[in-house]
Structures are given as C-alpha cells and as structure tokens.
Amino acid sequence: MNILRVALDLPLPRLFDYLAPDSDESDIGRRVNVPFGTGSRTGVIIELVASSEYPDTKLKTVGEILRDMPALPKEWLALCEFCARYYQTPLGEVTSFALPPMLRRGKLPRMKPLPPPSAAAVGPTLPRLLAAQQHAVEAIVGTEGFQAMLLHGVTGSGKTEVYLRAIDAVLARGGQALMLVPEIALTPQLEGRVAQRFPGVHIVCANSGMADAARARGFLDAQAGRAAIVLGTRLAVFMPMPRLQLIIVDEEHDSSFKQQEGLRYSARDVAVWRAHQLNIPIVLGSATPSLETFQHAATGRYRLLDLPERAVAEAMPVVRIVDTRREKLQEGLSAALITGLQLRLARGEQSLVFLNRRGYAPVLACPPCGWVSRCQRCAANLVLHLADGRLRCHHCGFETRVPRACPDCGNVDLLPFGRGTQRLEAMLVERFPEARVLRIDRDSASTPKKWQALLATIHAGGADILVGTQMLAKGHDFPLLTLVGAVGADAALFAADFRAPERLFAQLMQVGGRSGRADLPGEVLIQTEYPDHPLYQALVQHDYVRFAQSQLDERRIAGFPPFSFQAMLRAEARTMEQSLAFLATAREAAAALADGVTLYDPVPMRLQRLMTLERGQLLVESLSRPALQAFLAAWMDKLHAQKMPGGLRWHLDVDPLEF
Ligand code: ADP
Ligand code: ZN
Ligand code: ZN
C-alpha cells in the first residue's frame, strides 16, 4: 500500500500518514490537500512509504495532490529538514514558512511572460578593480566546492563591486546566484544597481513585504531556473534554485538575518549550511563581521578576503571623541557638535545626528507625585511621541493619548524625561531655523514608500540636518554627508547583553561610514562620558580587528559564544510563578540528559512582562555544538510528550541573539 508522509503546519514534531493509492516517487515534494480533523489542510509530501506505524484502517486517504507546479526539489526538502532538526521546529512549520503564503495555501499565481531582453543589453562600463578587489574576485571565482569566505572591508571599499563580478562569472557559467541583504538594505537603489549591471538577466527579489502573487511568482521563477539572480532578505535563503552556484550574504553581522519569532533561524547560518550541502562557495561580507564569523576567519575555517582601502574617497572619515564630562550640553549637544553643524550648513553640506532611540522622550513623568507613563500590559515605560500626541509602548504597540494632567494627582506640569529623535529634531529646528531638518526613524519611515521618499529627499540634497536611528546606517550612499554626530551611545557600553558592545561598534562604524564619500572628506564626532573606553579608541583608529580581538578575549574568558554554543528555553504565562515552575520542571527533565551541557537557573526575562504575560527563560550552554544538538533533540522529545499547564506557552531559541 502507498502511504504518503506529509508535513503539516502544526506545532507537533511529526509527519502525518495518508493513504494514496495512485501516487509514486515523483510526488515527493508536491503540495497536497489532506483531510484533517473536520476540515482540510495543505501540506508538503516528504516521503512515500509502504507501511505506517498506524494501522491502515485508521489512515485517511489524501485529497488532491497538487501537480500543477513542479515538485519541490530534494535539495529544498533537505534544507527544510536541516532547519527542523537544528532549530527543533516541526518540519511542517518549516516548510510552511519556507513557501510563499500563496503556494502554502495550495494556490498558484498567474504567471507572467518574461520581459524580452532589452535592446540595449550591454552592461555599463566597469571600474578597474583595485588589487585587493581583483584578488577577492579571483579567490571567489576560482573556488571549487564548498568554501566560506569573509569579505572584510569598510563601507565604500568596493565589496558590492566584488559581489557583482563574482555573480557575473557565475552567470557566464550558466549558474544562479543568491544574494541576501539585511531587511532595511533591500531598496530600489540596490535592485537598480544589480539590474543595471545585468541587463537582460531575470532578477527576482524576495522579501516579506511583497504582494502575495509577486512573491509566489518569484519563487516559481527561481525554481524553474528562469531567474538567474535572487536578491532578498532572510527568507530568500529558502528560494529553490536548481543551478545555485554562489551565495552572498551582505552585512552578514546584521541581526535582521536572525528571525525572532516562529522559526527562529539565522539566515546567515542556514546559508552556510546550504552552501556546504551544495558544495559551492559562500561569501560573507561586512565592515564589522560578527565575532562568530571573525573567529572562523581567524582560525582559518573561513577564508579571509580583505579590502583594506576605500575604492573612491581618498581617506576614511576622521573620528573624534568629544568628552562631555565637564561640558554643559545644550539639549544633549556639545559645543563641538554644534560648531560642526554650523560649519556644514555654511558650506551647504549635510550632517547627521545619530541617536538610536525614537520618540520624543522615553518616559513622561509627574515629579510631584512620582507617576510615570507605564504600559498596562508590559513591564516597560510608555514612550512619549509628541509628533502625534501619543504615548506608545515600543514592545507591544499599546498606545494612548498624552494625558493633559497627571492621572494620579491632576498636576498639569508633566515632564518628559530623556531624549529621543523627535526631541532632538525639535531642538535642531529651534537652534538652526534656517536649516531643513529631516528625521528618519521607524515612525517617519513607517512604510517602504515613505522610506524611499525620505531617501530620495536626502539624495536630492533636500535636507541639511538628518536626525536618525540606525535605520540610516545600512547600505546607502549619501554623497553630500560630511558630518556624523553620535549622541547617547554610552548606554550600550554597560548593557546587560554581552553582545551590546559588538552591536554598538558596528552601528557607529556604519553610520560613520556614511560620511565623506565621493570627494568630500568626512568627520565623525562621538559624544561620550567615557572617552578612554577601548571601544571608542578602536573606532578612532578604524581598527575593527583590535576591537574584535579584545572582545574575543573577554568572551573566551567568560565562556560566551563563539567559544560556547547556547540555546534559550523561554516560557510565558499569566504569572511569573507559572513560567518559572515550568522552566524548573523542564530543567529537571533535562538533568539526566545533559551530558556536556550546562543548565542555568530559570530567571525572569529582562522585559519581564509583555502583552500581560509574565516571561521567564532558561539558558543552556555547551562547549560542543554536536553535544548541544543531541541534548536539545532528546530534551524536546521529553517536553513535547509532557502535558502542559493551561495558558502556558514556551519555545526554544537556538543560537539566541537577544537576552
Ligand atoms: P561597499 O559595498 O564596500 O560599500 P561599493 O562596491 O558600493 O562598496 O563601492 C563604493 C563605490 O565605489 C561605488 O560607487 C562603486 O561603484 C565604486 N567603486 C567600487 N570599486 C571601484 C573601483 N575599483 N574603481 C572605482 N570605483 C569603484
Ligand atoms: Zn506594552
Ligand atoms: Zn502626579
């Protein structure tokens, strides 16, 4: 008897067996409608077997096998199976996530004919490569089989140019190339640059913001080999590409490659696995590689390709530390920064003030009675947004009107405490009435369209002073920008999260890298109360390597990644007692299995309450990845078999980035 084993999008770590009299091996990888409960569901056929552990009489017969699109390739199924195993997520949840929503629902988009190759199918004239670029291109193109490579070079060092040359070589051989970029960096500018370089080549974009049909079409074009280049955010790592010969992960350190809910995968890590599986090269590019990647390069596991110079501007921006300990700041700005802004205004150049906190002020308070704006659902303050007169929780989205008076004592003199981008914007408008001030953060760039419009304004020289969060840090050229001032950076120096300095360094290096391209030299001013801090000193020297080595020394001593491997079990419930009790039980269940694995104590999460749920976490750590993997598999089997108390939810996060 033919039995199909089907992956269904259910939180159960198993496949579902169905009778299928007239199916054969060629149906593996097809989508199928199956009866489930009182309704029906669409899943993916994983296996065809002769017998089931369930008696035949208990098995239902499949509904329609969807043969209207080619079966998903073996390689794609293997990729999903790896993710299911590695991230301890049911295979059906993985396949469901990896498919575009339309295909997941068992539908097909109306396909469009490919545009005819444009008449002017001649690429632009290419710049002469610098020696280091040439070396990198040759290394990538000359690689046969699997090899991970770290392309390390500051902004403007010509990394993208290297990617494009390597892609060109792949296309010449008839292959396909996959390029992954961080969420915020996938812009029409980048698409345009790639399209312009490869006229006549069908390029497919993939990101979660796309319309259903377009995303499904892109998937099918990639699978059929019609698209030679796929350019996308993290989810593009799941694009089926039968002739895939090269994977590129740009800004590989970016945290948006790690998904923070559902399938908690790292697209960068999955991409490396995929390259290994396909026996092809993969290039990880960054100015500030993640310490994991840097360590692999240091030990020789990854090949290091260095681009030590900028391709266009002669010099790196000058980075200066502004010691604010003895200075009375004007609304948070030092005299040095204000002078710098004045100078740029007089010269008709652009400046950027970088503050990684949106809103007007982090909290609104009533000093006489001690009231502060708190979220009713989370253990967090409500952030004051004066631009639209709201108080907002940045964690759960709760919002309310700014009260006219203190809800507790009726006092009308409520005070905003601290500073966000809106407040900085207001201050700059007042201080420089002649300047055009433009704020760029997730509020002002709330849709891709608004974001594009802001970028266009900046490019056209339609703004003098930009106030922005890290949104501005990634992948954009601002030819007129010559000054970057960083304020409020110190907060990350002593944060509880051991990765905070790594992130701060990358952010400051990236925003700094925005200044002084083309022929205008750039200057970066960092306001701090810790002018001698090694992180800032390394920035002054543009010395990523020194910073990375000092961080790695600290991590080695502390036993943190990349010198250990971690997983986090998180639980949420109505009360913290319930959450912690579950974690304690899970810890007991683990004790007998934990060979070579350290189990920490269950503790409340840093953001204890989110959306009225109390959250706890339990960290698991090991010096060996295989040991951790073996442990997690056995542990999850136990946890899935346990009956959970009502109202309790839990999940596992492998290689967690946030603590
Ligand atoms: P990155 O990706 O490292 O930021 P890009 O590849 O975008 O760097 O290069 C920065 C700028 O320099 C781009 O405008 C690019 O066209 C130009 N460029 C890159 N390589 C060269 C080169 N060898 N000669 C001249 N210009 C170059
Ligand atoms: Zn909230
Ligand atoms: Zn009050």
PDB file of all heavy atoms in Angstrom, residues 87-110:
ATOM      1  N   TYR A  87      16.873  23.749  14.502  1.00  0.00           N
ATOM      2  CA  TYR A  87      16.138  24.717  15.324  1.00  0.00           C
ATOM      3  C   TYR A  87      15.003  24.066  16.114  1.00  0.00           C
ATOM      4  O   TYR A  87      14.194  24.752  16.719  1.00  0.00           O
ATOM      5  CB  TYR A  87      15.635  25.877  14.454  1.00  0.00           C
ATOM      6  CG  TYR A  87      16.790  26.685  13.898  1.00  0.00           C
ATOM      7  CD1 TYR A  87      17.171  26.584  12.562  1.00  0.00           C
ATOM      8  CD2 TYR A  87      17.541  27.506  14.733  1.00  0.00           C
ATOM      9  CE1 TYR A  87      18.258  27.296  12.072  1.00  0.00           C
ATOM     10  CE2 TYR A  87      18.628  28.223  14.251  1.00  0.00           C
ATOM     11  CZ  TYR A  87      18.977  28.119  12.921  1.00  0.00           C
ATOM     12  OH  TYR A  87      20.060  28.816  12.442  1.00  0.00           O
ATOM     13  N   GLN A  88      14.958  22.730  16.086  1.00  0.00           N
ATOM     14  CA  GLN A  88      13.971  22.000  16.885  1.00  0.00           C
ATOM     15  C   GLN A  88      12.557  22.505  16.618  1.00  0.00           C
ATOM     16  O   GLN A  88      11.796  22.804  17.536  1.00  0.00           O
ATOM     17  CB  GLN A  88      14.312  22.117  18.384  1.00  0.00           C
ATOM     18  CG  GLN A  88      15.650  21.526  18.754  1.00  0.00           C
ATOM     19  CD  GLN A  88      15.691  20.012  18.583  1.00  0.00           C
ATOM     20  OE1 GLN A  88      14.670  19.350  18.655  1.00  0.00           O
ATOM     21  NE2 GLN A  88      16.865  19.475  18.321  1.00  0.00           N
ATOM     22  N   THR A  89      12.244  22.627  15.333  1.00  0.00           N
ATOM     23  CA  THR A  89      10.940  23.132  14.920  1.00  0.00           C
ATOM     24  C   THR A  89      10.286  22.067  14.042  1.00  0.00           C
ATOM     25  O   THR A  89      10.956  21.491  13.196  1.00  0.00           O
ATOM     26  CB  THR A  89      11.122  24.434  14.105  1.00  0.00           C
ATOM     27  OG1 THR A  89      11.819  25.373  14.929  1.00  0.00           O
ATOM     28  CG2 THR A  89       9.802  25.033  13.677  1.00  0.00           C
ATOM     29  N   PRO A  90       8.997  21.788  14.239  1.00  0.00           N
ATOM     30  CA  PRO A  90       8.349  20.771  13.402  1.00  0.00           C
ATOM     31  C   PRO A  90       8.550  21.046  11.907  1.00  0.00           C
ATOM     32  O   PRO A  90       8.434  22.197  11.470  1.00  0.00           O
ATOM     33  CB  PRO A  90       6.877  20.884  13.790  1.00  0.00           C
ATOM     34  CG  PRO A  90       6.909  21.423  15.185  1.00  0.00           C
ATOM     35  CD  PRO A  90       8.101  22.327  15.251  1.00  0.00           C
ATOM     36  N   LEU A  91       8.841  19.989  11.155  1.00  0.00           N
ATOM     37  CA  LEU A  91       9.131  20.148   9.726  1.00  0.00           C
ATOM     38  C   LEU A  91       8.002  20.871   8.984  1.00  0.00           C
ATOM     39  O   LEU A  91       8.247  21.684   8.099  1.00  0.00           O
ATOM     40  CB  LEU A  91       9.392  18.769   9.103  1.00  0.00           C
ATOM     41  CG  LEU A  91       9.736  18.755   7.617  1.00  0.00           C
ATOM     42  CD1 LEU A  91      10.944  19.626   7.309  1.00  0.00           C
ATOM     43  CD2 LEU A  91      10.003  17.321   7.153  1.00  0.00           C
ATOM     44  N   GLY A  92       6.756  20.571   9.373  1.00  0.00           N
ATOM     45  CA  GLY A  92       5.631  21.219   8.701  1.00  0.00           C
ATOM     46  C   GLY A  92       5.612  22.729   8.914  1.00  0.00           C
ATOM     47  O   GLY A  92       5.206  23.485   8.030  1.00  0.00           O
ATOM     48  N   GLU A  93       6.062  23.156  10.080  1.00  0.00           N
ATOM     49  CA  GLU A  93       6.152  24.601  10.313  1.00  0.00           C
ATOM     50  C   GLU A  93       7.252  25.212   9.454  1.00  0.00           C
ATOM     51  O   GLU A  93       7.136  26.332   8.967  1.00  0.00           O
ATOM     52  CB  GLU A  93       6.430  24.893  11.802  1.00  0.00           C
ATOM     53  CG  GLU A  93       5.229  24.631  12.695  1.00  0.00           C
ATOM     54  CD  GLU A  93       5.445  25.081  14.148  1.00  0.00           C
ATOM     55  OE1 GLU A  93       6.496  25.678  14.463  1.00  0.00           O
ATOM     56  OE2 GLU A  93       4.559  24.815  14.960  1.00  0.00           O
ATOM     57  N   VAL A  94       8.334  24.452   9.256  1.00  0.00           N
ATOM     58  CA  VAL A  94       9.436  24.963   8.440  1.00  0.00           C
ATOM     59  C   VAL A  94       9.019  25.055   6.969  1.00  0.00           C
ATOM     60  O   VAL A  94       9.179  26.097   6.332  1.00  0.00           O
ATOM     61  CB  VAL A  94      10.696  24.084   8.578  1.00  0.00           C
ATOM     62  CG1 VAL A  94      11.810  24.610   7.680  1.00  0.00           C
ATOM     63  CG2 VAL A  94      11.160  24.033  10.026  1.00  0.00           C
ATOM     64  N   THR A  95       8.459  23.974   6.428  1.00  0.00           N
ATOM     65  CA  THR A  95       8.088  24.005   5.001  1.00  0.00           C
ATOM     66  C   THR A  95       7.030  25.082   4.772  1.00  0.00           C
ATOM     67  O   THR A  95       7.052  25.788   3.770  1.00  0.00           O
ATOM     68  CB  THR A  95       7.538  22.648   4.517  1.00  0.00           C
ATOM     69  OG1 THR A  95       6.505  22.226   5.408  1.00  0.00           O
ATOM     70  CG2 THR A  95       8.622  21.590   4.476  1.00  0.00           C
ATOM     71  N   SER A  96       6.142  25.211   5.725  1.00  0.00           N
ATOM     72  CA  SER A  96       5.094  26.214   5.580  1.00  0.00           C
ATOM     73  C   SER A  96       5.695  27.611   5.564  1.00  0.00           C
ATOM     74  O   SER A  96       5.315  28.467   4.758  1.00  0.00           O
ATOM     75  CB  SER A  96       4.105  26.047   6.730  1.00  0.00           C
ATOM     76  OG  SER A  96       3.360  27.204   6.878  1.00  0.00           O
ATOM     77  N   PHE A  97       6.677  27.849   6.425  1.00  0.00           N
ATOM     78  CA  PHE A  97       7.326  29.159   6.448  1.00  0.00           C
ATOM     79  C   PHE A  97       8.137  29.401   5.177  1.00  0.00           C
ATOM     80  O   PHE A  97       8.175  30.504   4.639  1.00  0.00           O
ATOM     81  CB  PHE A  97       8.236  29.279   7.673  1.00  0.00           C
ATOM     82  CG  PHE A  97       9.058  30.521   7.659  1.00  0.00           C
ATOM     83  CD1 PHE A  97       8.493  31.732   8.039  1.00  0.00           C
ATOM     84  CD2 PHE A  97      10.372  30.510   7.218  1.00  0.00           C
ATOM     85  CE1 PHE A  97       9.228  32.902   7.988  1.00  0.00           C
ATOM     86  CE2 PHE A  97      11.113  31.680   7.165  1.00  0.00           C
ATOM     87  CZ  PHE A  97      10.549  32.875   7.554  1.00  0.00           C
ATOM     88  N   ALA A  98       8.796  28.337   4.701  1.00  0.00           N
ATOM     89  CA  ALA A  98       9.719  28.487   3.576  1.00  0.00           C
ATOM     90  C   ALA A  98       8.991  28.695   2.240  1.00  0.00           C
ATOM     91  O   ALA A  98       9.569  29.179   1.283  1.00  0.00           O
ATOM     92  CB  ALA A  98      10.632  27.266   3.486  1.00  0.00           C
ATOM     93  N   LEU A  99       7.712  28.337   2.202  1.00  0.00           N
ATOM     94  CA  LEU A  99       6.921  28.556   0.983  1.00  0.00           C
ATOM     95  C   LEU A  99       6.296  29.948   1.026  1.00  0.00           C
ATOM     96  O   LEU A  99       5.862  30.400   2.080  1.00  0.00           O
ATOM     97  CB  LEU A  99       5.789  27.533   0.892  1.00  0.00           C
ATOM     98  CG  LEU A  99       6.125  26.121   0.426  1.00  0.00           C
ATOM     99  CD1 LEU A  99       4.910  25.208   0.641  1.00  0.00           C
ATOM    100  CD2 LEU A  99       6.535  26.119  -1.044  1.00  0.00           C
ATOM    101  N   PRO A 100       6.181  30.621  -0.110  1.00  0.00           N
ATOM    102  CA  PRO A 100       5.422  31.878  -0.125  1.00  0.00           C
ATOM    103  C   PRO A 100       3.970  31.582   0.277  1.00  0.00           C
ATOM    104  O   PRO A 100       3.450  30.509  -0.050  1.00  0.00           O
ATOM    105  CB  PRO A 100       5.494  32.321  -1.578  1.00  0.00           C
ATOM    106  CG  PRO A 100       6.638  31.582  -2.163  1.00  0.00           C
ATOM    107  CD  PRO A 100       6.742  30.289  -1.412  1.00  0.00           C
ATOM    108  N   PRO A 101       3.313  32.525   0.971  1.00  0.00           N
ATOM    109  CA  PRO A 101       1.973  32.267   1.514  1.00  0.00           C
ATOM    110  C   PRO A 101       0.983  31.707   0.490  1.00  0.00           C
ATOM    111  O   PRO A 101       0.209  30.809   0.790  1.00  0.00           O
ATOM    112  CB  PRO A 101       1.532  33.646   1.997  1.00  0.00           C
ATOM    113  CG  PRO A 101       2.796  34.373   2.271  1.00  0.00           C
ATOM    114  CD  PRO A 101       3.827  33.843   1.328  1.00  0.00           C
ATOM    115  N   MET A 102       1.063  32.185  -0.733  1.00  0.00           N
ATOM    116  CA  MET A 102       0.102  31.739  -1.739  1.00  0.00           C
ATOM    117  C   MET A 102       0.272  30.253  -2.063  1.00  0.00           C
ATOM    118  O   MET A 102      -0.700  29.497  -2.142  1.00  0.00           O
ATOM    119  CB  MET A 102       0.308  32.566  -3.001  1.00  0.00           C
ATOM    120  CG  MET A 102      -0.799  32.479  -3.974  1.00  0.00           C
ATOM    121  SD  MET A 102      -0.439  33.679  -5.283  1.00  0.00           S
ATOM    122  CE  MET A 102      -2.079  33.883  -5.896  1.00  0.00           C
ATOM    123  N   LEU A 103       1.520  29.830  -2.232  1.00  0.00           N
ATOM    124  CA  LEU A 103       1.783  28.420  -2.520  1.00  0.00           C
ATOM    125  C   LEU A 103       1.455  27.557  -1.305  1.00  0.00           C
ATOM    126  O   LEU A 103       0.971  26.437  -1.435  1.00  0.00           O
ATOM    127  CB  LEU A 103       3.254  28.224  -2.913  1.00  0.00           C
ATOM    128  CG  LEU A 103       3.730  29.030  -4.127  1.00  0.00           C
ATOM    129  CD1 LEU A 103       5.201  28.747  -4.410  1.00  0.00           C
ATOM    130  CD2 LEU A 103       2.885  28.708  -5.359  1.00  0.00           C
ATOM    131  N   ARG A 104       1.720  28.104  -0.132  1.00  0.00           N
ATOM    132  CA  ARG A 104       1.402  27.401   1.113  1.00  0.00           C
ATOM    133  C   ARG A 104      -0.085  27.074   1.179  1.00  0.00           C
ATOM    134  O   ARG A 104      -0.485  26.020   1.645  1.00  0.00           O
ATOM    135  CB  ARG A 104       1.796  28.322   2.271  1.00  0.00           C
ATOM    136  CG  ARG A 104       1.516  27.826   3.654  1.00  0.00           C
ATOM    137  CD  ARG A 104       1.734  28.948   4.663  1.00  0.00           C
ATOM    138  NE  ARG A 104       2.992  29.659   4.416  1.00  0.00           N
ATOM    139  CZ  ARG A 104       3.247  30.889   4.859  1.00  0.00           C
ATOM    140  NH1 ARG A 104       2.349  31.551   5.560  1.00  0.00           N
ATOM    141  NH2 ARG A 104       4.392  31.476   4.587  1.00  0.00           N
ATOM    142  N   ARG A 105      -0.900  27.988   0.692  1.00  0.00           N
ATOM    143  CA  ARG A 105      -2.349  27.767   0.734  1.00  0.00           C
ATOM    144  C   ARG A 105      -2.837  26.873  -0.401  1.00  0.00           C
ATOM    145  O   ARG A 105      -4.044  26.678  -0.563  1.00  0.00           O
ATOM    146  CB  ARG A 105      -3.082  29.111   0.667  1.00  0.00           C
ATOM    147  CG  ARG A 105      -2.898  29.977   1.916  1.00  0.00           C
ATOM    148  CD  ARG A 105      -3.887  31.125   1.923  1.00  0.00           C
ATOM    149  NE  ARG A 105      -3.787  31.948   0.721  1.00  0.00           N
ATOM    150  CZ  ARG A 105      -3.040  33.050   0.636  1.00  0.00           C
ATOM    151  NH1 ARG A 105      -2.338  33.454   1.672  1.00  0.00           N
ATOM    152  NH2 ARG A 105      -3.000  33.749  -0.484  1.00  0.00           N
ATOM    153  N   GLY A 106      -1.903  26.392  -1.222  1.00  0.00           N
ATOM    154  CA  GLY A 106      -2.293  25.484  -2.284  1.00  0.00           C
ATOM    155  C   GLY A 106      -2.730  26.193  -3.554  1.00  0.00           C
ATOM    156  O   GLY A 106      -3.285  25.591  -4.464  1.00  0.00           O
ATOM    157  N   LYS A 107      -2.475  27.498  -3.613  1.00  0.00           N
ATOM    158  CA  LYS A 107      -2.856  28.263  -4.804  1.00  0.00           C
ATOM    159  C   LYS A 107      -1.639  28.478  -5.694  1.00  0.00           C
ATOM    160  O   LYS A 107      -0.509  28.233  -5.300  1.00  0.00           O
ATOM    161  CB  LYS A 107      -3.403  29.623  -4.384  1.00  0.00           C
ATOM    162  CG  LYS A 107      -4.545  29.540  -3.401  1.00  0.00           C
ATOM    163  CD  LYS A 107      -5.733  30.277  -3.956  1.00  0.00           C
ATOM    164  CE  LYS A 107      -6.992  30.034  -3.179  1.00  0.00           C
ATOM    165  NZ  LYS A 107      -6.846  30.215  -1.730  1.00  0.00           N
ATOM    166  N   LEU A 108      -1.891  28.976  -6.901  1.00  0.00           N
ATOM    167  CA  LEU A 108      -0.813  29.325  -7.814  1.00  0.00           C
ATOM    168  C   LEU A 108      -1.042  30.732  -8.331  1.00  0.00           C
ATOM    169  O   LEU A 108      -2.183  31.120  -8.581  1.00  0.00           O
ATOM    170  CB  LEU A 108      -0.783  28.370  -9.017  1.00  0.00           C
ATOM    171  CG  LEU A 108      -0.004  27.062  -8.910  1.00  0.00           C
ATOM    172  CD1 LEU A 108       0.069  26.406 -10.281  1.00  0.00           C
ATOM    173  CD2 LEU A 108       1.400  27.290  -8.371  1.00  0.00           C
ATOM    174  N   PRO A 109       0.015  31.497  -8.518  1.00  0.00           N
ATOM    175  CA  PRO A 109      -0.172  32.828  -9.112  1.00  0.00           C
ATOM    176  C   PRO A 109      -0.340  32.699 -10.621  1.00  0.00           C
ATOM    177  O   PRO A 109       0.058  31.685 -11.199  1.00  0.00           O
ATOM    178  CB  PRO A 109       1.143  33.529  -8.794  1.00  0.00           C
ATOM    179  CG  PRO A 109       2.152  32.422  -8.784  1.00  0.00           C
ATOM    180  CD  PRO A 109       1.421  31.202  -8.258  1.00  0.00           C
ATOM    181  N   ARG A 110      -0.923  33.699 -11.226  1.00  0.00           N
ATOM    182  CA  ARG A 110      -0.936  33.733 -12.683  1.00  0.00           C
ATOM    183  C   ARG A 110       0.464  34.140 -13.129  1.00  0.00           C
ATOM    184  O   ARG A 110       0.988  35.165 -12.710  1.00  0.00           O
ATOM    185  CB  ARG A 110      -1.946  34.779 -13.149  1.00  0.00           C
ATOM    186  CG  ARG A 110      -2.327  34.639 -14.599  1.00  0.00           C
ATOM    187  CD  ARG A 110      -3.054  35.871 -15.040  1.00  0.00           C
ATOM    188  NE  ARG A 110      -4.104  36.232 -14.072  1.00  0.00           N
ATOM    189  CZ  ARG A 110      -5.403  36.125 -14.303  1.00  0.00           C
ATOM    190  NH1 ARG A 110      -5.824  35.719 -15.465  1.00  0.00           N
ATOM    191  NH2 ARG A 110      -6.286  36.473 -13.397  1.00  0.00           N
TER     192      ARG A 110
END
